[in-house]
Amino acid sequence: MSFQFPESFLWGGAIAANQVEGAHITDGKGLSTSDVQPNGAFGELVERQDGDFNIKDVAIDFYHRYPEDIALFSEMGFTCLRLSIAWSRIFPNGNDAEPNEAGLAYYDKVFDELEKHNITPLVTLSHYEMPLNLAQKYQGWASRDVIGFFTQYAETVFKRYGHRVKRWLTFNEINVTLHEPFTGSGLPRDCDEQTRFQAIHHQLVASAKAVKLCHDLIPDAKIGNMILGAMLYPRTCHPNDMVKTLVQNREWLMFGDIQARGYYPSYMTRKFKEMGVELTITEADKEDLKETIDFISFSYYMTGCASADPQEMEKADANMLQMIANPYLQASEWGWQIDPVGLRYLLNFLYDRYQKPLFIVENGLGAKDVLNDEGVVEDDYRIAYLNDHLYQVGEAIQDGVEVMGYTSWGPIDLVSASTAQMSKRYGFIYVDRNDQGEGSLARKPKKSFYWYKDMIQSRGANLAAPE
Ligand code: BG6
């Protein structure tokens, strides 16, 4: 395409502490909710027994190998790395009086390394984890006390790293508590709606408080939210399908609406009434919520359809988002429907709604890669996926949407969040480790590594138009 992305556009990849670092109890780290899910996959708390295998205990050993990995990211031309801080490295129990210095020192070293390579960090405060102690003793985010523990953590890291980290996100996919309450909020899967929405409310207040702290402590920083952009289309153009789609999309839009506008949208009044939910929202909460984010960030993997017809709804996919399949789209090996044009649509839609800059902080294809006879992964399918999505990002920018950057998910193979598989690979860099934890952990660039490198260098000039 003749279009080139703006010079200021940030290019890179996104990782999460619990999916890459390993070292799950090293240097004083406490256990987190992610360490006690079944082998690390989505689900409920399982008591850990000595000798239990959990793939995330080592993950890809980024904890020790970050210099090598960051050097590889730099070779690809990354100008940005999205990463998260493990809250339980800094406050092992969540409610400790003092932070764990060894945990703080670890991220100092990671940021040193990024600085060495001129890579801008984009830091998520909480990516699918919280100190386990807070889930066990306080029922996770169901307790208002957790707001205080989180703000203490946020303040600690803002003060420690604020001189060098200028881009922040509060909670990863803050809407995930709707689908995976333990992962999102440390709640049991069968929690009632009252508890779930009260926990969500506490998290939204904590997010706004962190935004305020960031604005006060690091005035030249920008802080955003992060939502799982699970957009639905109407299954047909029947007006009832249109309304159903509107209502269902508001389930995830509610989060961004509050974080970007500073108050609950009026449509939630009816929704809460229908669910029999009565939230405790104090006057102080209302004041706190008024502190709004500077930009919107989101993950984008798939779209789906909604329908007012109960028979159609029965066909909804069994994956966590309960979407009806779109007959015009193909799906990945894990049934996630691939929709590059939907990304252009979503960028325009969100920009129209909020008029704030947008950042695509996750997008990518999970696939089973195979090494060829030379030991290389020829992942043309991944190149095609990324090409098609980035092409549509370019279209959206030309539509007038302000896009700050793009960090593809898992630039290096990592442990899957939903399934705990290593074999669901997203990376430009292959990691020698299988689902049983066997392998040397050696890193090796895939074909897509060189494609992404060229793409960044040419600022998207070599992206192919859709056929
Ligand atoms: C996002 C999460 O939902 O999707 C990531 O923020 C996750 O943590 C990614 O890894 C891809 O999902 P999965 O299940 O393929 O790892």
Side-chain angles (χ1 to χ4, degrees):
M1 90 190 189
S2 56
F3 165 80
Q4 274 194 309
F5 283 71
E7 301 251 13
S8 58
F9 192 86
L10 291 169
W11 292 105
I15 55 177
N18 73 90
Q19 292 171 260
V20 295
E21 286 177 0
H24 72 298
I25 45 170
T26 304
D27 294 336
K29 178 181 172 294
L31 285 181
S32 77
T33 45
S34 140
D35 295 318
V36 296
Q37 291 181 303
N39 186 25
F42 281 167
E44 304 232 38
L45 187 158
V46 284
E47 291 296 336
R48 287 183 70 114
Q49 310 291 340
D50 281 351
D52 273 0
F53 171 72
N54 186 323
I55 195 146
K56 285 184 174 174
D57 292 355
V58 174
I60 60 161
D61 194 29
F62 183 82
Y63 193 78
H64 299 105
R65 292 168 194 248
Y66 65 90
E68 180 191 351
D69 295 342
I70 291 172
L72 286 165
F73 298 153
S74 169
E75 197 184 324
M76 271 187 280
F78 279 24
T79 51
C80 181
L81 179 70
R82 174 179 174 227
L83 70 166
S84 71
I85 295 177
W87 182 355
S88 59
R89 277 197 201 287
I90 312 301
F91 287 96
N93 301 294
N95 58 355
D96 315 75
E98 295 298 326
N100 170 33
E101 176 53 33
L104 286 166
Y106 167 68
Y107 293 104
D108 279 334
K109 289 188 289 173
V110 173
F111 296 136
D112 283 346
E113 205 64 26
L114 289 172
E115 228 160 69
K116 204 165 100 187
H117 292 282
N118 285 321
I119 297 177
T120 300
L122 168 64
V123 175
T124 316
L125 291 171
S126 172
H127 190 127
Y128 277 2
E129 61 183 338
M130 68 192 300
L132 177 61
N133 182 51
L134 297 184
Q136 290 180 317
K137 293 226 173 87
Y138 296 84
Q139 281 194 302
W141 282 96
S143 163
R144 187 169 275 277
D145 293 341
V146 176
I147 300 176
F149 300 134
F150 180 78
T151 46
Q152 181 193 18
Y153 157 63
E155 185 173 347
T156 303
V157 296
F158 289 154
K159 284 187 172 157
R160 177 80 168 219
Y161 310 122
H163 63 290
R164 59 197 341 199
V165 177
K166 306 292 184 187
R167 295 287 176 271
W168 296 88
L169 302 175
T170 58
F171 293 93
N172 182 62
E173 295 189 340
I174 187 162
N175 47 323
V176 81
T177 296
L178 297 178
H179 316 286
E180 289 292 335
F182 186 68
T183 302
S185 292
L187 298 173
R189 195 171 252 176
D190 58 358
C191 67
D192 57 36
E193 295 295 88
Q194 175 69 34
T195 311
R196 188 194 305 254
F197 276 93
Q198 191 64 50
I200 286 171
H201 173 70
H202 293 151
Q203 219 168 46
L204 285 163
V205 171
S207 173
K209 278 175 161 296
V211 171
K212 172 93 172 73
L213 278 169
C214 182
H215 287 158
D216 290 348
L217 295 169
I218 330 173
D220 58 341
K222 298 273 181 235
I223 182 159
N225 66 342
M226 198 303 202
I227 40 184
L228 194 175
M231 193 175 53
L232 295 164
Y233 302 135
R235 177 66 184 83
T236 74
C237 52
H238 192 292
N240 288 343
D241 282 359
M242 290 296 291
V243 172
K244 182 72 189 299
T245 307
L246 173 79
V247 170
Q248 269 194 247
N249 273 329
R250 282 173 168 173
E251 287 177 12
W252 61 271
L253 285 167
M254 176 198 86
F255 295 82
D257 287 353
I258 295 170
Q259 293 177 304
R261 296 172 180 161
Y263 52 88
Y264 275 80
S266 54
Y267 58 77
M268 286 310 290
T269 309
R270 178 173 188 172
K271 175 96 180 150
F272 286 142
K273 207 166 156 199
E274 285 172 0
M275 289 191 297
V277 168
E278 283 183 41
L279 292 185
T280 304
I281 302 179
T282 65
E283 287 307 310
D285 290 350
K286 286 184 193 160
E287 275 307 304
D288 287 334
L289 288 179
K290 285 184 187 159
E291 190 79 20
T292 55
I293 43 165
D294 303 314
F295 64 96
I296 313 279
S297 90
F298 63 94
S299 60
Y300 182 83
Y301 293 94
M302 64 188 118
T303 56
C305 298
S307 169
D309 176 351
Q311 279 182 332
E312 280 290 329
M313 282 312 286
E314 272 172 29
K315 296 184 207 152
D317 197 278
N319 82 17
M320 85 174 188
L321 298 174
Q322 295 286 302
M323 293 165 156
I324 300 173
N326 184 330
Y328 298 102
L329 300 177
Q330 303 292 314
S332 78
E333 289 174 77
W334 277 263
W336 295 14
Q337 285 204 293
I338 301 168
D339 182 9
V341 176
L343 180 52
R344 174 181 179 182
Y345 183 87
L346 182 60
L347 284 163
N348 275 277
F349 177 84
L350 293 174
Y351 195 62
D352 285 352
R353 195 172 181 106
Y354 301 121
Q355 293 284 297
K356 285 189 192 275
L358 302 172
F359 205 136
I360 304 141
V361 297
E362 282 189 36
N363 170 239
L365 178 70
K368 284 198 175 115
D369 293 333
V370 180
L371 296 163
N372 68 12
D373 294 344
E374 283 80 50
V376 176
V377 175
E378 295 192 274
D379 50 349
D380 294 292
Y381 38 89
R382 182 167 293 110
I383 293 172
Y385 178 102
L386 293 169
N387 176 88
D388 294 354
H389 283 79
L390 280 166
Y391 188 90
Q392 297 299 332
V393 178
E395 291 287 316
I397 292 174
Q398 293 173 82
D399 291 335
V401 179
E402 207 179 332
V403 189
M404 295 165 69
Y406 174 93
T407 53
S408 76
W409 178 248
I412 180 164
D413 292 345
L414 40 69
V415 180
S416 155
S418 57
T419 66
Q421 290 168 296
M422 269 304 301
S423 54
K424 189 178 186 188
R425 296 174 184 273
Y426 287 86
F428 304 114
I429 302 162
Y430 184 84
V431 175
D432 179 24
R433 190 165 201 235
N434 65 18
D435 294 344
Q436 287 71 45
E438 297 154 350
S440 64
L441 287 165
R443 279 59 171 151
K444 180 144 198 176
K446 303 178 193 176
K447 187 173 175 184
S448 56
F449 179 101
Y450 302 100
W451 175 85
Y452 200 51
K453 181 179 176 174
D454 284 351
M455 207 275 312
I456 294 175
Q457 208 167 25
S458 71
R459 286 195 280 120
N462 61 358
L463 287 169
E467 285 168 13

